[in-house]
C-alpha cells in the first residue's frame, strides 16, 4: 500500500508539472485568442484581455490558474461563449468515451485471440494470412479506412448509418471499426511475438513434460505471461481512444472531445487547450497506475 500511495503522489505531481508546462508553452506563443485573426479593434481586444485577466503578468495568471485547477475549475472558454472547459469536457467526453470504449473492446476482442491463434499455428498458411491482415491494419491510415467503410458499408450497402451521433446505437459501429483497426493489428502482432517467446521457454516445456493438458499449459502458463506486453500497451491505448480521434470524429460528424481539442488549438483557446491536456494527462497517468497494479496480479515477481 505504501508503494501504491507513493505512485499516486508521483502521478499527482506529474499532472501538475504537465499543467505548468502547458501553461507557459501556450503563453510563449505569439498572439492570443483575441489577436489579429479576428480583426478586433484594439479597444475591444484590450477589454476582452482585461475580462479574462490576460492583461496580468504571466506569473499572476499562472498562480490564479493553478489555484483554480486544484479546486477542479479548468476555466472559461474564450471562444465558446458562456461555456466553461468543465462543461465542454462533460459534453464531449461521453461521446468520445463511447466511441473509444467500443473500439478498445473490438481491439482486445479481436487482437488477443488472433495473436494467440497465429502463434499456435506459426509457419502455416493461417499464420501468414493473419500477419498479412495485421500488416494491412497497421499500414492503412484510419482516415482512409473510415472513408472506405463510410462509402462502402454506410452509403452503398446501407447496413448501418454512415455518419451522425445519437440517433441510433448503430452509429458507433463504423467509426469504432475505423478507430480499432490499428490497435487490433498491433495487438495481434504483439501477442503473437510474446506468445512465441513464452512457448519456447523452459517452464512451458517443463509443464508439458509433467503431462499437463495443452489447454492448461496455454491458459494457465503461456497466455498469462504473454499478456504482459499487451497490458503495457493497453493503458495508453485506452486513454488515447477514450479521449477521441479528431480525424475519425470529424469524418463521421461526431461532436466528441477530440473535435473540441483541435478546434481550440486553431482558435488559441488557452483554457480549453490546457484543460483538455490536463484531463488527458490525468486519464493517461491514472491508467498507467492501473497497469502497474495489474502487473502484480499477472506476475507475482513484479512488486
Amino acid at each position: 500500500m505504501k508503494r501504491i500511495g507513493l505512485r499516486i503522489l508521483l502521478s499527482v505531481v506529474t499532472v501538475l508539472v504537465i499543467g505548468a508546462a502547458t501553461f507557459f508553452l501556450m503563453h510563449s506563443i505569439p498572439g492570443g485568442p483575441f489577436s489579429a485573426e479576428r480583426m478586433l479593434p484594439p479597444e475591444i481586444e484590450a477589454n476582452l484581455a482585461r475580462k479574462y485577466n490576460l492583461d496580468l503578468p504571466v506569473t499572476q495568471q499562472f498562480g490564479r490558474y493553478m489555484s483554480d485547477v486544484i479546486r477542479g475549475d479548468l476555466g472559461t472558454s474564450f471562444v465558446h461563449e458562456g461555456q466553461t472547459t468543465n462543461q465542454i469536457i462533460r459534453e464531449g467526453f461521453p461521446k468520445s468515451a463511447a466511441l473509444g470504449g467500443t473500439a478498445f473492446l473490438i481491439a482486445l476482442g479481436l487482437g488477443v485471440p488472433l495473436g494467440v491463434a497465429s502463434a499456435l499455428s506459426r509457419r502455416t498458411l493461417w499464420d501468414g494470412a493473419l500477419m498479412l491482415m495485421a500488416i494491412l491494419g497497421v499500414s492503412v491510415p484510419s482516415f482512409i479506412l473510415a472513408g472506405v467503410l463510410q462509402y462502402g458499408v454506410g452509403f452503398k450497402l446501407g447496413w448501418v448509418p454512415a455518419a451522425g451521433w445519437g440517433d441510433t446505437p448503430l452509429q458507433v459501429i463504423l467509426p469504432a471499426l475505423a478507430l480499432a483497426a490499428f490497435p487490433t493489428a498491433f495487438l495481434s502482432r504483439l501477442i503473437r511475438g510474446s506468445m512465441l517467446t513464452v512457448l519456447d521457454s523452459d517452464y512451458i516445456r517443463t509443464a508439458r513434460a509433467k503431462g499437463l493438458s495443452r489447454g492448461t499449459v496455454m491458459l494457465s502458463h503461456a497466455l498469462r505471461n504473454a499478456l504482459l506486453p499487451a497490458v503495457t500497451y493497453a493503458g495508453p491505448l485506452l486513454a488515447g481512444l477514450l479521449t477521441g480521434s479528431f480525424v475519425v470524429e470529424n469524418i463521421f460528424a461526431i461532436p466528441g472531445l477530440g473535435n473540441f481539442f483541435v478546434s481550440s488549438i486553431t482558435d488559441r483557446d488557452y483554457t480549453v487547450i490546457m484543460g483538455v491536456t490536463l484531463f488527458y494527462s490525468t486519464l493517461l497517468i491514472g491508467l498507467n497506475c492501473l497497469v502497474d497494479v495489474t502487473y502484480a496480479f499477472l506476475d507475482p515477481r513484479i512488486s
Side-chain angles (χ1 to χ4, degrees):
M1 290 299 296
K2 182 179 179 181
R3 189 179 297 273
I4 294 176
L6 179 60
R7 184 73 171 83
I8 293 174
L9 178 61
L10 289 174
S11 298
V12 173
V13 172
T14 303
V15 170
L16 293 177
V17 170
I18 291 173
T22 306
F23 180 91
F24 286 110
L25 285 173
M26 284 303 306
H27 283 75
S28 66
I29 300 174
F34 311 116
S35 54
E37 53 264 42
R38 283 179 169 72
M39 307 299 285
L40 295 174
E43 298 81 6
I44 295 178
E45 188 174 338
N47 289 334
L48 287 171
R50 193 176 304 112
K51 176 183 177 182
Y52 292 103
N53 297 318
L54 295 176
D55 59 332
L56 297 175
V58 174
T59 53
Q60 290 187 30
Q61 293 184 46
F62 174 70
R64 291 191 177 196
Y65 179 74
M66 293 307 293
S67 175
D68 291 339
V69 166
I70 292 173
R71 295 197 304 269
D73 181 7
L74 298 178
T76 303
S77 171
F78 298 157
V79 176
H80 303 280
E81 188 176 356
Q83 280 192 302
T84 64
T85 304
N86 298 61
Q87 290 174 331
I88 290 173
I89 292 175
R90 282 197 298 268
E91 291 176 8
F93 179 66
K95 303 176 182 67
S96 294
L99 171 60
T102 305
F104 182 75
L105 292 176
I106 292 173
L108 284 184
L110 292 178
V112 174
L114 289 176
V116 172
S118 180
L120 294 179
S121 58
R122 56 177 159 181
R123 299 191 184 93
T124 65
L125 186 61
W126 171 247
D127 181 29
L130 288 177
M131 285 302 97
L132 177 60
M133 292 172 57
I135 291 172
L136 289 175
V138 172
S139 304
V140 177
S142 60
F143 63 87
I144 292 186
L145 181 59
V148 171
L149 289 172
Q150 188 177 56
Y151 179 77
V153 181
F155 287 118
K156 284 296 184 180
L157 298 177
W159 291 348
V160 291
W165 188 262
D167 298 329
T168 169
L170 296 177
Q171 288 177 322
V172 76
I173 294 177
L174 293 184
L177 287 174
L179 200 56
F182 177 85
T184 299
F186 187 87
L187 265 175
S188 66
R189 297 181 65 185
L190 189 64
I191 290 292
R192 178 185 183 272
S194 180
M195 195 74 175
L196 289 176
T197 302
V198 170
L199 290 175
D200 290 334
S201 301
D202 291 337
Y203 72 90
I204 294 295
R205 286 192 287 268
T206 302
R208 287 171 174 167
K210 288 180 177 179
L212 296 178
S213 66
R214 180 181 174 86
T216 301
V217 172
M218 291 300 105
L219 295 177
S220 300
H221 298 278
L223 183 58
R224 183 173 181 175
N225 290 303
L227 282 176
L228 285 174
V231 171
T232 304
Y233 176 64
L237 169 65
L238 180 58
L241 291 177
L242 289 180
T243 49
S245 168
F246 168 70
V247 175
V248 173
E249 287 181 1
N250 192 43
I251 291 174
F252 290 96
I254 300 172
L257 192 59
N259 211 339
F260 276 113
F261 185 54
V262 176
S263 64
S264 68
I265 294 174
T266 304
D267 297 329
R268 295 186 182 180
D269 195 348
Y270 291 166
T271 51
V272 175
I273 295 172
M274 293 184 294
V276 175
T277 300
L278 276 174
F279 179 76
Y280 176 81
S281 301
T282 303
L283 192 62
L284 179 62
I285 292 170
L287 287 171
N288 279 333
C289 283
L290 183 61
V291 166
D292 292 342
V293 174
T294 305
Y295 271 171
F297 290 98
L298 291 175
D299 190 345
R301 295 171 299 176
I302 301 175
S303 60

